[in-house]
Amino acid sequence: MGLFWHSCILLAIFLQVAIAASVPEQVHLAFHGDTSEMAVIWTTFYDGLHHVYYGTDVKNMNQVAIETSIKKWTSGSVTRYSHRAKMSNLKPSTTYYYKIEGRVFEFKTLSANPQSYRVCIFGDLGYEHGNSTDAIIRNGLNGQFDFIIHVGDIAYDLHTDDGRRGDAYMRRFEPLFSAIPYMVIAGNHENDGKNFSNFQERFWMPHNGFNDNHFYSFDLGPVHWVGLSSEFYGYDREYGKESIWTQYNWLNTDLKAAVSKRKSVPWIITYQHRPIYCSIDYNHDCSEFENTFLRSGALGLPGLEPSYIQSHVDLNFCGHQHAYERFYPVADRKYYTGVS
Ligand SMILES: *[C@@H]1O[C@H](CO)[C@@H](O)[C@H](O)[C@H]1NC(C)=O
Ligand SMILES: *[C@@H]1O[C@H](CO)[C@@H](O)[C@H](O)[C@H]1NC(C)=O
Ligand SMILES: [Fe+2]
């Protein structure tokens, strides 16, 4: 009997140490639905269902978001659990606190149907040599922008060192990403040789009907935002051409719906990792087959620009070139000046 209890106590102490050594981490927010909802995603290295308690009073977080999914996944030798939950019934322009396994975070909701807000858009940001990281975190926490769009190439790479690079990047940004939504799209560096699994498991973008993060849209005030994958074009030989069609058909349906409600949501802004136009140097991405393929289509496969033109997409953001440039209004390789 004595020995039994002794072992139990030892076991209890051991368990407590094991649990304390690992907590929910890499906590981040994303839009997933209308502004009354907020998705929260986090990672653990152990299994177990968590609840997210949230509310407007830090001493009384009286609403609860039950996890919608836990997914066990592996990258090399490391097993992770990716957790997803959705906080709902959020009031506009309100500070909320939320708690996951004792860790407390906070964020502020936008106003209902906000007509003015600020977004920080960047691409190609690494964990190492992330020269802009400090400024992004500082400005974000100072309220300089309301959400982030990262147009692909994340951490260089999410999957490096069995995903530890991705962990380090998401831990580094947790103070900011746990406070304002972090919207992402895949770049070529998100190809981990396993069908973008690190990208798919670590994030949770809005529903597209296909249960993945490759393409999606969301409305926020006067803008219909559309994120797309240029990587279906970049890796069609590796993963097949089917996804190009799937995305294309989805895009046309999505844009048609966006055009029909243009009176209330006048702007359409799209983004994808690779540029459909760029001028720096002479290279594959700006001038050769890869660029034509993505922009106009080739070999019987559709490109993105005809859909953009047909629906009068107002702006397009991209990354990949590690250079800053902007354009006059441009369509079908012609640019226009003096037009609205
Ligand atoms: C980024 O930071 C490193 C080290 O601080 C510095 O050597 C490098 O020049 C910086 N790069 C740019 C583009 O500012
Ligand atoms: C890759 O994942 C997508 C979903 O994101 C799926 O449609 C496709 O069939 C997968 N391709 C392969 C080769 O596994
Ligand atoms: Fe890239």
Side-chain angles (χ1 to χ4, degrees):
M1 194 68 177
L3 189 64
F4 173 76
W5 284 114
H6 188 66
S7 311
C8 276
I9 290 164
L10 268 184
L11 188 65
I13 291 169
F14 176 75
L15 270 178
Q16 199 162 4
V17 167
I19 288 168
S22 185
V23 292
E25 56 171 75
Q26 304 172 47
V27 175
H28 60 279
L29 302 175
F31 292 127
H32 196 98
D34 65 28
T35 45
S36 74
E37 302 179 300
M38 187 65 81
V40 54
I41 306 97
W42 66 98
T43 294
T44 59
F45 294 85
Y46 59 93
D47 199 1
L49 184 81
H50 302 155
H51 289 356
V52 179
Y53 295 95
Y54 64 102
T56 54
D57 179 356
V58 70
K59 291 191 216 76
N60 180 24
M61 295 181 225
N62 53 6
Q63 288 167 272
V64 57
I66 294 164
E67 280 196 21
T68 53
S69 79
I70 306 180
K71 175 99 180 278
K72 179 182 181 180
W73 60 285
T74 58
S75 190
S77 63
V78 180
T79 298
R80 293 174 182 77
Y81 295 83
S82 137
H83 303 251
R84 298 170 170 184
K86 195 152 80 171
M87 296 180 269
S88 46
N89 296 317
L90 302 170
K91 288 179 283 193
S93 307
T94 303
T95 297
Y96 277 88
Y97 301 90
Y98 64 103
K99 184 166 75 175
I100 311 170
E101 297 291 287
R103 299 194 65 207
V104 177
F105 306 91
E106 66 177 271
F107 66 99
K108 190 164 186 285
T109 53
L110 287 163
S111 62
N113 193 19
Q115 292 306 300
S116 170
Y117 53 79
R118 287 180 284 191
V119 50
C120 174
I121 302 180
F122 58 81
D124 312 89
L125 180 62
Y127 175 67
E128 284 167 16
H129 310 296
N131 291 41
S132 312
T133 298
D134 285 343
I136 291 169
I137 294 174
R138 189 177 59 247
N139 285 305
L141 292 177
N142 280 344
Q144 293 300 306
F145 43 85
D146 300 297
F147 72 102
I148 294 168
I149 292 175
H150 186 154
V151 291
D153 281 7
I154 305 166
Y156 290 102
D157 296 336
L158 289 173
H159 55 273
T160 299
D161 193 13
D162 291 350
R164 291 182 188 92
R165 180 74 49 80
D167 296 334
Y169 175 92
M170 293 304 288
R171 283 176 194 138
R172 177 84 180 81
F173 274 103
E174 187 191 66
L176 181 62
F177 296 168
S178 62
I180 70 169
Y182 181 53
M183 306 306 288
V184 293
I185 205 74
N188 51 305
H189 280 270
E190 276 64 73
N191 179 20
D192 55 4
K194 288 172 64 186
N195 204 4
F196 296 79
S197 64
N198 270 260
F199 173 74
Q200 297 282 35
E201 305 303 348
R202 291 174 187 275
F203 303 108
W204 191 30
M205 290 297 104
H207 281 305
N208 62 3
F210 298 92
N211 215 9
D212 71 20
N213 292 327
H214 279 300
F215 49 89
Y216 54 85
S217 65
F218 60 99
D219 286 345
L220 195 59
V223 182
H224 181 71
W225 294 92
V226 186
L228 295 161
S229 174
S230 53
E231 303 321 305
F232 292 155
Y233 294 83
Y235 295 104
D236 65 317
R237 266 161 282 165
E238 207 166 331
Y239 300 117
K241 304 181 190 320
E242 195 55 38
S243 297
I244 293 175
W245 282 113
T246 307
Q247 172 172 265
Y248 175 77
N249 292 329
W250 173 88
L251 174 64
N252 289 335
T253 306
D254 183 80
L255 288 177
K256 202 169 166 192
V259 166
S260 75
K261 59 183 179 191
R262 212 152 193 163
K263 275 211 175 74
S264 52
V265 185
W267 295 84
I268 302 176
I269 303 181
T270 62
Y271 52 96
Q272 76 285 328
H273 178 62
R274 300 184 204 222
I276 59 172
Y277 292 104
C278 53
S279 66
I280 63 152
D281 297 336
Y282 178 82
N283 68 28
H284 291 265
D285 299 309
C286 299
S287 336
E288 290 192 23
F289 176 77
E290 284 85 341
N291 183 245
T292 309
F293 186 27
L294 176 67
R295 186 182 57 250
S296 312
L299 311 170
L301 293 160
L304 297 178
E305 195 191 31
S307 304
Y308 290 177
I309 294 174
Q310 196 185 0
S311 300
H312 299 268
V313 165
D314 298 287
L315 281 169
N316 176 247
F317 289 96
C318 59
H320 193 52
Q321 291 300 322
H322 302 195
Y324 176 82
E325 59 180 339
R326 55 185 173 171
F327 294 84
Y328 287 116
V330 57
D332 201 15
R333 302 194 73 217
K334 281 203 266 311
Y335 75 95
Y336 300 82
T337 58
V339 297
S340 66

